[in-house]
Amino acid sequence: MSFLYRSTRNKNEAVTASQAILMGLAEQGGLFVPDEIPVMDLPLEELTKKDYRGIAYEVLSRMLTDYTEEELWYCINGAYDSKFDDERIAPLVSHHGTHFLELFHGKTIAFKDMALSILPYLMTTAAKKNNSDQEIVILTATSGDTGKAALAGFADVPGTRIAVFYPKSGVSPIQEKQMVTERGKNTFVAGITGNFDDAQTGVKKMFSDPELGAYLAENGFRFSSANSINIGRLVPQMVYYYYAYAQLVQSGEIKVGDKINIVVPTGNFGNILAAYYASLMGLPVNKFICASNDNKVLYDFFTTGVYDRNREFILTSSPSMDILISSNLERLIYRIAGNDAEKNAVLMKELSETGKYTITDDMKKALEQFYGNYADMDTVDATIRKIYEEDGYIIDTHTAVAAAVYDMYKTETGDTTPTVIASTASPYKFTRSVMTAIDPAYDSKEDFELVDKLEELSGVKVPQAIEDIRSAPVLHKTVCEKEEMESVVKGFLGI
Ligand SMILES: *Cc1c(COP(=O)(O)O)cnc(C)c1O
């Protein structure tokens, strides 16, 4: 069986998993989606006894059907090793009956490491399988965390180069420092004078420009993507939802077969879509709770059925979720439209031309498992402070958006289903926002003084990722307008 991936905008464009990973994006701006999500045929009793790597193999082998067993193990063992500072890779920790799935134990201390540790392996393996000898140029737009995780994953990987664009004034000081100090010889980082949506639109434009593609090919290059528009990001993200479930079973919190809720602080809709895909594969889920910050396009969408990006872009204390065009929502729209590429393409055209679209009542009905809400910055601060005061546990601003929305959900519904909150970043990545949430007086201190203070309050050792940038020199100084992105990339490639 070789299960095909199809474009969300053209039903005739079908490729294998490895080709979808290598290409990143389909033609005409479409995204690759699996024809059908295969049902996990290994019983949950068996699956939940496995460790992270074991579960990763089971999930990946069902979704990436043209990779051999040997290839998958090579990728999994290369990715999920001692570069994670916890041997469980994604530990589940419980506070006051709530379960936080800590997804930030990788190299760059945000959940993007979960997929970006394995993507370079999947991609270079895909290039070999498809006899591609072109050098792969990874083009990445980042709202702060993907950039560094992708740089760390692809740095000095033979046969690849990577260019990252981030919003110059839209990331945290630590996020920026992590990126501009990257040492990999095949890396390039630029700030743009715009927001994340501008960066993402600029990158998508380069991808879907056939002339630019041909010019690259003449020079021995091809573009691919490390953003969650690449299916090679989403599939590895399905794994940790199964693993969270396994940990709940192993600790006796639930029995095999019980349903759980999953709360995800959401931006580009990749992480929560991976949870949804895991449930289509057979993971027992009651509700998907989609948590937004003040950029609450998704909350409005789930409550009204209208997606409308025509609004002010708000810079918040959870910058990795400051997004108005959630790319991966397209994959959900395609599915609830009955896997209908034509219907989806019409809506996406409306989105690009008018900035909005409305789904039908039937489509809206298919979204009953989703609950959306949002938390403003004051609520986020209060949530960080409350959890710290009750438990001594310190969460980052993104995780706090999720925890706050989960509180709203419980109050509204009274639902007591065991719940997993995706904890997407270490508080050390957003030290200033986190510390001033605990006490505004910390705002007068220097960034690294705050780091040391956070260690004192939380009792969690300063991660290596932070130690690494304390005194690292800035190596990337490019700042450009969004219109200049293409020429900057050509400059980097020397073409
Ligand atoms: C990227 C990111 C998110 C949003 O995830 P999406 O998959 O884009 O919805 C949330 N929190 C953090 C810390 C992130 O880095």
Side-chain angles (χ1 to χ4, degrees):
M1 181 194 72
S2 195
F3 153 114
L4 291 182
Y5 285 80
R6 226 173 262 287
S7 165
T8 50
R9 298 192 193 176
N10 174 2
K11 69 174 184 325
N12 298 320
E13 192 182 352
V15 298
T16 64
S18 68
Q19 287 165 343
I21 288 174
L22 198 55
M23 292 166 72
L25 201 63
E27 281 163 24
Q28 299 145 4
L31 305 181
F32 286 116
V33 280
D35 250 2
E36 234 357 283
I37 307 272
V39 171
M40 175 54 73
D41 47 342
L42 186 72
L44 259 185
E45 284 82 10
E46 297 303 317
L47 198 68
T48 49
K49 287 182 192 139
K50 294 185 181 282
D51 66 2
Y52 197 88
R53 284 179 285 271
I55 292 178
Y57 175 73
E58 298 303 332
V59 173
L60 266 52
S61 61
R62 300 312 188 280
M63 295 294 292
L64 307 179
T65 45
D66 69 325
Y67 285 77
T68 65
E69 180 173 352
E70 192 189 350
E71 285 167 345
L72 286 178
W73 277 115
Y74 159 75
C75 295
I76 291 166
N77 288 330
Y80 304 115
D81 62 6
S82 59
K83 57 179 150 319
F84 284 79
D85 68 10
D86 188 300
E87 61 184 22
R88 290 165 294 179
I89 309 295
L92 191 71
V93 305
S94 301
H95 291 280
H96 265 73
T98 304
H99 310 289
F100 292 88
L101 179 63
E102 293 189 350
L103 300 172
F104 53 76
H105 289 275
K107 257 188 177 168
T108 75
I109 62 175
F111 93 91
K112 305 299 196 293
D113 290 323
M114 302 304 300
L116 283 163
S117 304
I118 195 166
L119 185 65
Y121 289 95
L122 292 172
M123 198 171 288
T124 50
T125 303
K128 272 194 211 121
K129 293 173 76 63
N130 291 284
N131 302 315
S132 166
D133 54 7
Q134 290 165 320
E135 192 164 355
I136 300 169
V137 181
I138 303 292
L139 275 189
T140 302
T142 182
S143 57
D145 289 330
T146 292
K148 182 62 188 186
L151 289 164
F154 283 96
D156 299 320
V157 172
T160 72
R161 298 198 201 185
I162 170 164
V164 169
F165 292 94
Y166 70 94
K168 177 71 189 155
S169 321
V171 300
S172 85
I174 303 243
Q175 285 179 313
E176 180 170 39
K177 186 105 200 261
Q178 279 188 302
M179 290 188 277
V180 297
T181 56
E182 171 60 48
R183 290 170 201 271
K185 291 201 176 48
N186 60 341
T187 66
F188 173 82
V189 180
I192 69 158
T193 53
N195 60 38
F196 170 73
D197 289 329
D198 295 324
Q200 177 160 259
T201 304
V203 160
K204 277 192 170 178
K205 217 191 248 153
M206 283 189 260
F207 265 116
S208 42
D209 178 344
E211 265 172 53
L212 181 60
Y215 182 61
L216 243 70
E218 275 168 38
N219 288 280
F221 295 111
R222 72 183 299 158
F223 283 143
S224 191
S225 168
N227 282 96
S228 52
I229 50 178
N230 193 323
I231 197 78
R233 277 275 304 274
L234 290 184
V235 172
Q237 291 178 190
M238 295 165 66
V239 174
Y240 46 74
Y241 292 109
Y242 267 105
Y243 186 57
Y245 192 89
Q247 291 179 80
L248 287 171
V249 170
Q250 285 162 15
S251 67
E253 291 282 342
I254 60 169
K255 294 190 305 298
V256 171
D258 288 352
K259 287 190 173 177
I260 60 169
N261 294 330
I262 295 175
V263 193
V264 186
T266 296
N268 225 356
F269 209 75
N271 204 6
I272 194 165
L273 187 76
Y276 178 65
Y277 277 4
S279 82
L280 295 178
M281 184 176 256
L283 183 71
V285 178
N286 174 43
K287 285 278 181 197
F288 302 94
I289 299 170
C290 176
S292 300
N293 66 21
D294 286 301
N295 296 293
K296 59 184 181 58
V297 201
L298 288 166
Y299 162 69
D300 293 340
F301 171 72
F302 283 117
T303 40
T304 65
V306 180
Y307 192 91
D308 185 359
R309 59 152 300 197
N310 300 306
R311 60 183 76 204
E312 192 195 346
F313 186 103
I314 302 169
L315 292 175
T316 73
S317 57
S318 45
S320 306
M321 297 159 63
D322 290 345
I323 292 175
L324 293 178
I325 309 174
S326 293
S327 291
N328 283 291
L329 188 65
E330 175 168 350
R331 290 184 159 115
L332 182 64
I333 298 293
Y334 171 84
R335 178 154 185 107
I336 62 174
N339 292 348
D340 186 335
E342 257 169 72
K343 201 164 161 187
N344 175 66
V346 170
L347 295 176
M348 295 306 132
K349 187 150 175 268
E350 275 175 45
L351 178 64
S352 81
E353 284 169 5
T354 68
K356 68 191 261 190
Y357 60 81
T358 306
I359 59 170
T360 63
D361 287 344
D362 279 350
M363 289 166 76
K364 196 157 181 266
K365 251 193 224 111
L367 294 177
E368 274 168 359
Q369 261 190 305
F370 286 84
Y371 167 91
N373 215 326
Y374 74 102
D376 62 23
M377 289 191 259
D378 288 341
T379 309
V380 165
D381 286 356
T383 304
I384 292 173
R385 198 161 52 239
K386 180 179 118 217
I387 295 179
Y388 168 64
E389 284 166 2
E390 284 175 1
D391 284 300
Y393 183 57
I394 302 185
I395 58 174
D396 95 288
T397 44
H398 304 73
T399 308
V401 169
V405 165
Y406 177 51
D407 277 342
M408 297 170 197
Y409 170 79
K410 271 192 299 189
T411 308
E412 245 173 68
T413 62
D415 181 9
T416 56
T417 304
T419 297
V420 169
I421 295 182
S423 182
T424 50
S426 158
Y428 281 102
K429 209 156 184 175
F430 303 94
T431 323
R432 179 163 302 276
S433 300
V434 167
M435 292 302 287
T436 53
I438 291 172
D439 183 348
Y442 286 123
D443 208 20
S444 62
K445 301 226 184 293
E446 300 291 329
D447 286 332
F448 283 96
E449 278 180 87
L450 290 176
V451 163
D452 294 330
K453 196 71 198 170
L454 177 54
E455 179 171 48
E456 203 180 303
L457 293 192
S458 64
V460 175
K461 197 166 161 293
V462 178
Q464 192 56 40
I466 298 294
E467 295 297 355
D468 286 348
I469 57 169
R470 268 188 205 262
S471 56
V474 172
L475 302 174
H476 302 270
K477 295 183 179 145
T478 307
V479 178
C480 70
E481 304 285 331
K482 62 184 180 203
E483 294 77 15
E484 295 170 325
M485 288 168 65
E486 182 178 326
S487 63
V488 163
V489 167
K490 285 181 179 163
F492 164 53
L493 299 177
I495 59 176

